[in-house]
Amino acid sequence: MRYRLGGLAAAVVVSAVVAAPQAQARQRVDVVVEWYDVTAGVLAAAPAPTQITNNRTWAIGWLAAARAVRHGHDRAFTDAAVASAVHDSLVRLVPSRAAEVDEALARTLARVPDGPAKARGVAAGSDQARRTLAEREGDGLDPASVNAPFPVPAAGPGVWQPTPPAYAPAIQYGNRAAKPFTLRRADQFRPAPPPALDSARYRRDLAEVRDYGSIDSTVRTESQTRIASFWYQGSQPAFITPLRVALSESRATVPDRVALVAKYNVAAVDTQIATSDAKYAYQLWRPVTALRAGGLPSWTPLHVTPAHPDYPSGHATYAGFSEQVLTSLTGPRSHQAFTLTSPTAPGVTIQYQAWRDLTRDNVNARVWSGIHTRVADEVGVDLGRTVARHALANFDRVVG
């Protein structure tokens, strides 16, 4: 399906604050955006330490909501069902924020006229939250399982090793053993192996990181440095606003807009499972390890290298699936430009409109940060897009 886009102010601010009851009485409140903001606010205030766990929380709550409203069009029913499904899921998964989520539910339900439709909506939302939570119990996406210990292999050419300065243990190794939403198995779309170390492609890509990604690079421009620093932020929080832009502009039905959020986060979880499968199947060393082993013992990247293998880039797979989902469901761009900020580049703002431009900057940023080869980024984008297409094609089966 394709959602028709409407207008939106350029700057988008995600907030968990819901309008006061008096204001709600005077204007129509968009329950989908309302509970999107509640979810975003809860996870901003109490995030899990692992990104995929946060996407799991989004996916469970909004999949439950999608199931609850898939056959409902009465507004009293859908408003009550969305709020109840997301509420019950958040209270279970982020219990430390239960009080504020309870307050948000009370505000929504106070706005919905009492009657059979409201009662059915509350019951449907709660029932689907309970069912979805039960289905995902023990799925291996809790932080301890995600960061299962990885036995570091013996050092050798091309083999991943812990990276400076912390030489920290590998992370996200357990993703590959987690239960996906739509994938049959983690390696279903595993990309081909990375290029050989002595190939022209790998030598060219490593030379690019050497020149453009070093902390003291003389060829990286100020603009490139800003983009590298901007996209050094975590992928999951970085894409909260672009998805909200698409959601706010959509003029689709409530069930379709709820499904947009659910599909996005289902694809996010499956993409990260597929990414970790490939990373730990190939265990390719990071540029800093390769360059230091190749005769530059003091070479240092602009940004600290994350503690997992190079190929494929997780940021790139995240950007790739995001672009695919948003393009497939809302078209190639937002109706108006929107502004993003980043905690890793204070004071820097970047305007975007086409979803593919976020992907482009993610690919370049990881090279200019000195932490990924370009081939790892480009293959990552392709993997993310592929998993997203599969997730979209199989979402109806997940909904049931």
Side-chain angles (χ1 to χ4, degrees):
M1 77 194 70
R2 183 172 299 275
Y3 296 127
R4 184 163 53 88
L5 302 181
L8 182 71
V12 177
V13 179
V14 174
S15 169
V17 178
V18 183
Q22 295 88 345
Q24 292 174 341
R26 293 194 298 269
Q27 63 183 4
R28 183 184 181 94
V29 177
D30 183 340
V31 73
V32 184
V33 172
E34 177 185 32
W35 279 89
Y36 186 93
D37 289 348
V38 170
T39 310
V42 164
L43 289 174
T50 45
Q51 175 172 280
I52 194 172
T53 308
N54 292 316
N55 278 123
R56 174 188 187 266
T57 298
W58 276 94
I60 288 174
W62 287 84
L63 177 57
R67 289 169 164 174
V69 302
R70 66 188 184 277
H71 298 308
H73 297 285
D74 178 272
R75 187 185 172 199
F77 173 85
T78 56
D79 280 15
V82 170
S84 297
V86 180
H87 165 272
D88 288 15
S89 301
L90 287 175
V91 167
R92 169 79 174 274
L93 296 172
V94 195
S96 65
R97 313 306 295 185
E100 70 187 72
V101 181
D102 287 347
E103 292 174 4
L105 178 64
R107 287 192 291 269
T108 300
L109 294 182
R111 192 177 67 235
V112 179
D114 291 333
K118 176 179 179 178
R120 287 197 308 272
V122 170
S126 294
D127 180 61
Q128 292 300 335
R130 183 170 55 254
R131 291 171 180 267
T132 307
L133 285 161
E135 286 176 11
R136 299 304 300 183
E137 186 73 28
D139 60 8
L141 293 172
D142 58 286
S145 298
V146 167
N147 286 333
F150 171 65
V152 178
V159 179
W160 182 85
Q161 298 291 297
T163 50
Y167 297 94
I171 60 173
Q172 301 174 5
Y173 178 58
N175 283 355
R176 62 203 298 271
K179 176 185 175 182
F181 280 91
T182 68
L183 295 176
R184 293 191 302 274
R185 59 185 191 277
D187 65 351
Q188 185 173 344
F189 298 110
R190 183 185 292 173
L197 302 185
D198 60 354
S199 66
R201 174 65 197 265
Y202 189 79
R203 292 198 304 267
R204 182 174 69 248
D205 282 6
L206 192 61
E208 182 185 21
V209 179
R210 178 197 66 204
D211 296 340
Y212 284 86
S214 67
I215 194 169
D216 55 359
S217 172
T218 60
V219 295
R220 188 182 58 245
T221 66
E222 290 184 10
S223 175
Q224 290 169 339
T225 301
R226 283 195 298 272
I227 290 173
S229 297
F230 189 94
W231 285 104
Y232 191 60
Q233 64 180 309
S235 295
Q236 192 271 329
F239 278 88
I240 292 292
T241 295
L243 178 56
R244 189 187 191 278
V245 169
L247 187 68
S248 300
E249 292 182 344
S250 171
R251 295 296 177 263
T253 64
V254 167
D256 282 347
R257 294 169 71 240
V258 169
L260 168 60
V261 184
K263 289 174 180 179
Y264 183 94
N265 286 284
V266 162
V269 170
D270 282 7
T271 296
Q272 289 171 84
I273 290 172
T275 300
S276 290
D277 166 76
K279 279 182 178 290
Y280 288 101
Y282 298 123
Q283 299 178 22
L284 181 65
W285 61 6
R286 286 283 189 157
V288 63
T289 308
L291 290 167
R292 291 188 176 190
L296 297 173
S298 62
W299 188 90
T300 301
L302 173 64
H303 293 121
V304 173
T305 301
H308 43 73
D310 180 46
Y311 181 92
S313 161
H315 263 61
T317 61
Y318 206 100
F321 97 75
S322 297
E323 178 193 339
Q324 186 66 48
V325 170
L326 293 174
T327 300
S328 296
L329 299 183
T330 72
R333 63 184 64 237
S334 62
H335 185 69
Q336 295 183 6
F338 58 92
T339 301
L340 295 183
T341 60
S342 169
T344 54
V348 176
T349 60
I350 302 180
Q351 278 201 338
Y352 290 100
Q353 188 166 6
W355 311 126
R356 68 172 181 269
D357 290 346
L358 285 83
T359 303
R360 174 204 63 207
D361 282 1
N362 267 271
V363 167
N364 287 329
R366 306 313 266 181
V367 175
W368 299 335
S369 284
I371 57 181
H372 272 301
T373 53
R374 186 168 293 276
V375 67
D377 293 333
E378 292 176 350
V379 170
V381 170
D382 288 343
L383 176 60
R385 289 170 175 160
T386 299
V387 174
R389 286 192 291 268
H390 176 81
L392 293 173
N394 288 275
F395 183 77
D396 286 348
R397 174 175 57 81
V398 177
V399 173

